[in-house]
Structures are given as structure tokens and as C-alpha cells.
Amino acid sequence: MAEIVAGAAMSHVPAIGVAIDQGNTGDAYWRPLFAGFERSRQWIREVDPDVVIVVYNDHATAFSLELIPTFALGCAAEYQPADEGWGRRPVPMVKGQPELAWHMAQSVILDEFDLTIVNKLEVDHGLTVPLSLMFGQPDAWPCPVIPLCVNVVQYPPPTGNRCLNLGRAIGRAVRSFDRDLRVVIFGTGGMSHQLQSKRAGLINSEFDNRFLDLIAHDPRAAAAIPHVEYLREAGSEGIELVMWLVMRGALDENVREVHRHYHVPASNTAVGHIILENETT
Amino acid sequence: MSQDGNQDYHDIPGTYVFDAEHSRKGYHLNMFCMSLRHADNRDAFKADEAAYLDRYPMTGEQRRAVLDRDWDGLLRLGGNIYYTSKLAATDGINFQELAARMTGVSSEEYRAMMLAGGRPIAGNRSKKEWADG
């Protein structure tokens, strides 16, 4: 049977992708950020997952105001990295895992999570930057990817509690898939940041570090954080953190914290990263 | 109370929450920005901005804000940052430079603020803490 062996959360700032693509990761500005991912790249080489599920949000790329799915699951065989307005990132095509993705869709819909099924999806920095952070710059990504898009652009996003429960349903779905696959799930976005208007540049490291503690050890408390608290305390774009709860819900109640990294700034954003393994694996 | 229920976020200073009201107001403005995701549209827009904008039935005020690159005004008029950033990208402006322009400081000042730990949360939670709201 398939199993989810671990989860990881990380920010997905577009400037991180630019730094990687332009070879600037050794610069004084970027070095401390990337240093915190060296252990992570080693870790994921050792875990060597068969599939990665990436929970991320589309940033007005594949979805516009014409169509705003709250949760959308990629069931395609491949995903083209998108031109978001400044050209395509020079990263490999993302290969999908349609068999598992379709199984997940069927399982969670019958589990009463009414996902949108997506068969054509250009993926933006929300998905490709986490892949670059964890896998570096390979000629081909080392494993297939299943994208799960969460709307966090149009208010209101799903609640943290809904995200945690969707994660649990995804965990059940993966465990009921009749093939021996080792799956890792990424929850992406955050941490505190505000990109817009007069309060742009807001960072709240106290909130962020408390959230890192809660996501690891008290996810129910993290799931109870109301939207207004994210907006006020973590900035209008900090509400992306609800996506970490999908990742956390897919893991066991008790997890082993393998690694944690926090760095300010990447462009406008506080970068947070955590790796959690199921204790049973 | 509107149909959106609890709108306690209106007390947050210097912030436009992209809610139902903003989304309805900004639909055509944002869809214009969205079109700039494609290189051929970026070229057409740069060649004749006014003619290109005729394709989108936005308000006169929104149209002026686009032509004037009134970045904060675009948000007030219903723009969303992930959409207006595509207009910025068309001008070669990245998110950090855009943030500097919206907050009215130089790129150097803004970058220095971020390197020093960003805009602090203390004093920035509520409109009551901002003299001009």
C-alpha cells in the first residue's frame, strides 16, 4: 500500500526562484537562506520519495477571476511551468502521477471534500520554487508531482480547520492506494509577509515561530487560528499558511521534527521551513 | 453586516483585503492585468497602452490609475496585488520595488527595512495605531 512518510513546509517566494535560476545563491544576501536548505536536500535524497504532493496556491496564473476553485487537484500526466509575466522559469517539465491523483480525487470526494479536478494546469512559482529548494537544479525532477491548489487570493480562503481535515482525507486516500509508493507532501507559502499597500513589508517573527511550534506539535491549535488573525498578525499574504495545515493533516497525530529553518528576508517575506516525519516510518 | 459576515479585518491599517466587494469592483481591471501574462499581449500593450485598455470595460478612474501607474490606487480601485504585479512586471518592476513604490519610500530604504527585519508588527495592527488610518 502507499504511505505518506513525511511532510515538509516551505515558503515559495518568487525571488528565491530568480536567485536559483540566475546563480546568485552564494551571494551575501541569499547565502543564509539557502544554507538552511542544505540539510533538506540531503534529507530528501535519502527519503527518495516515489511521489511528492505539493500543496500550493496559484497566483493569478492558471486560474484568474473567471474561475476560482477553493481546492483543485492536478490529475494530469504533466504540467508546464508558466510564464507569470516575466518569462518562464528555466526548470524541467513537471511530471504528474495520474493514477494516484485520480484515486485521491475519488477518495476525498466520496469522503465529502468536493475537489475540482484539473487536467490542464500551468504551474507557477508556488509549485516550482519549493521543488527547486528541495531538489536543486536537476535536468529532470527526480519524481512525479501531484499539485493541489488552494485558493488563498480571493477572500475567503478555506479555514485552517478545513485544510487540516482535507489533509487527513488525503492521508486516508493515499493509504488506500493499492501500490507500494512512498509519498512526501509539501505545504508551501508563508510565512509572515504583506506584498500590498502601505503596510507592505510586514514581518512578525514571533507569530511565525509560534506557528512553527504549533504546526509540529499542536496542529489543532494552529487550525483554530481565524483568518483575521493571519491577516492582522502575519500580513495579508501570510494567510497562505493555511496550506501548511493540509500537509500537517496528512501526517500522523505525532510526528518527529527533523529540521527547521527560519530566515528574514527573502524579498518581502519571512521564509520558514520545517520537515516532519511520521513516527511510524 | 454585509453578506460577507464578520469583516473585522477592516480595522487592519494599510491593507486591502481582496474580498467580494473588491473582486466585483476590480474584475475588468484585474482581467486586464491578467492578460499581460502573455508576451504578445505585453508587446501590444507597450505599443499603444490606451488602445489596448479599450479592450477592457474598466472605469475611467481605473484606466487613469493604470496609465499613471498609481500602484496603491490600483488596489483601492479593486486591483489585487497578484494581478497588478503583472503590470509591474511588464514595466520591469519586481515585487520588492513595487512594495517600495506603494509605501512611498526609495528602493534602497525599503530594502534596508527588510534587511533589518521588516516592518514591525508593533504599532501596525490596528488603524487606531496609525495617525492617518
Side-chain angles (χ1 to χ4, degrees):
Chain A
M1 303 299 272
E3 60 172 343
I4 295 185
V5 295
M10 68 288 283
S11 308
H12 59 216
V13 185
I16 294 175
V18 175
I20 293 170
D21 299 341
Q22 297 185 350
N24 299 330
T25 58
D27 290 3
Y29 182 90
W30 290 110
R31 200 182 311 123
L33 186 155
F34 288 103
F37 285 89
E38 283 169 17
R39 169 117 192 259
S40 316
R41 285 199 289 275
Q42 172 82 31
W43 172 84
I44 204 145
R45 270 196 301 274
E46 288 165 7
V47 172
D48 191 20
D50 297 308
V51 182
V52 172
I53 300 167
V54 181
V55 185
Y56 79 106
N57 68 289
D58 178 83
H59 304 77
T61 303
F63 302 117
S64 71
L65 299 182
E66 287 180 352
L67 184 68
I68 309 172
T70 295
F71 295 113
L73 186 71
C75 294
E78 61 181 18
Y79 306 94
Q80 169 77 54
D83 178 352
E84 301 175 50
W86 53 87
R88 288 184 203 282
R89 287 195 64 206
V91 293
M93 193 73 145
V94 177
K95 301 292 182 191
Q97 216 300 2
E99 291 84 8
L100 177 57
W102 272 105
H103 170 80
M104 284 167 57
Q106 292 175 75
S107 174
V108 302
I109 289 169
L110 293 175
D111 215 353
E112 302 187 339
F113 285 88
D114 313 318
L115 293 177
T116 300
I117 294 165
V118 188
N119 285 312
K120 186 171 165 53
L121 177 68
E122 284 188 79
V123 290
D124 72 12
H125 69 270
L127 183 131
T128 62
V129 166
L131 294 183
S132 298
L133 277 170
M134 296 301 284
F135 296 120
Q137 295 176 288
D139 293 331
W141 300 118
C143 68
V145 171
I146 297 177
L148 174 62
C149 304
V150 181
N151 163 52
V152 295
V153 174
Q154 174 69 60
Y155 189 89
T159 65
N161 190 54
R162 185 70 174 159
C163 289
L164 185 73
N165 284 326
L166 174 62
R168 289 174 176 152
I170 287 171
R172 289 190 288 274
V174 170
R175 286 191 297 275
S176 67
F177 187 62
D178 191 20
R179 268 176 63 187
D180 290 332
L181 294 176
R182 290 159 54 76
V183 179
V184 169
I185 182 165
F186 294 173
T188 76
M191 297 190 83
S192 60
H193 67 304
Q194 176 152 336
L195 302 176
Q196 55 131 337
S197 199
K198 302 292 184 196
R199 206 173 67 137
L202 185 90
I203 298 291
N204 187 344
S205 54
E206 198 179 323
F207 178 95
D208 291 340
N209 282 291
R210 177 171 155 265
F211 193 86
L212 285 162
D213 289 339
L214 293 181
I215 203 80
H217 305 299
D218 194 356
R220 286 170 206 270
I225 296 172
H227 282 352
V228 68
E229 186 175 336
Y230 287 108
L231 294 168
R232 191 189 303 279
E233 298 293 326
S236 51
E237 281 63 61
I239 202 164
E240 290 176 349
L241 284 168
V242 295
M243 295 186 289
W244 291 28
L245 283 157
V246 181
M247 174 279 289
R248 185 61 183 87
L251 302 179
D252 293 350
E253 197 70 27
N254 294 312
V255 292
R256 192 168 44 239
E257 182 176 332
V258 175
H259 179 51
R260 184 190 291 208
H261 175 48
Y262 184 73
H263 176 76
V264 178
S267 185
N268 304 292
T269 303
V271 170
H273 174 44
I274 196 164
I275 296 177
L276 305 169
E277 287 180 349
N278 277 337
E279 286 187 340
T280 50
T281 55
Chain B
M1 189 75 68
S2 78
Q3 76 273 21
D4 303 310
N6 188 358
Q7 293 184 325
D8 38 8
Y9 52 75
H10 284 317
D11 176 54
I12 302 170
T15 302
Y16 296 104
V17 175
F18 191 66
D19 58 9
E21 182 192 339
H22 272 262
S23 191
R24 291 169 66 189
K25 192 161 66 175
Y27 182 82
H28 294 294
L29 168 61
N30 287 313
M31 293 310 290
F32 148 71
C33 292
M34 183 80 189
S35 74
L36 301 177
R37 194 166 87 70
H38 299 289
D40 50 347
N41 289 340
R42 294 196 287 270
D43 292 341
F45 174 67
K46 283 189 268 196
D48 187 342
E49 296 197 357
Y52 189 88
L53 290 175
D54 287 342
R55 302 181 195 177
Y56 295 89
M58 59 180 87
T59 67
E61 209 180 358
Q62 290 170 331
R63 188 184 166 96
R64 268 194 307 283
V66 172
L67 293 170
D68 295 347
R69 304 297 196 270
D70 175 6
W71 299 111
D72 203 55
L74 287 167
L75 302 179
R76 180 171 48 79
L77 297 170
N80 172 271
I81 189 67
Y82 292 117
Y83 291 83
T84 59
S85 64
K86 297 190 193 310
L87 176 61
T90 301
D91 290 350
I93 298 171
N94 66 25
F95 274 106
Q96 189 165 79
E97 290 165 25
L98 182 55
R101 290 176 196 218
M102 284 184 292
T103 55
V105 298
S106 69
S107 298
E108 294 71 27
E109 281 174 89
Y110 187 88
R111 187 180 160 91
M113 176 185 80
M114 293 314 301
L115 279 168
R119 186 181 307 282
I121 185 66
N124 290 311
R125 286 189 167 93
S126 166
K127 284 183 177 171
K128 292 190 267 307
E129 298 174 304
W130 280 28
D132 58 1

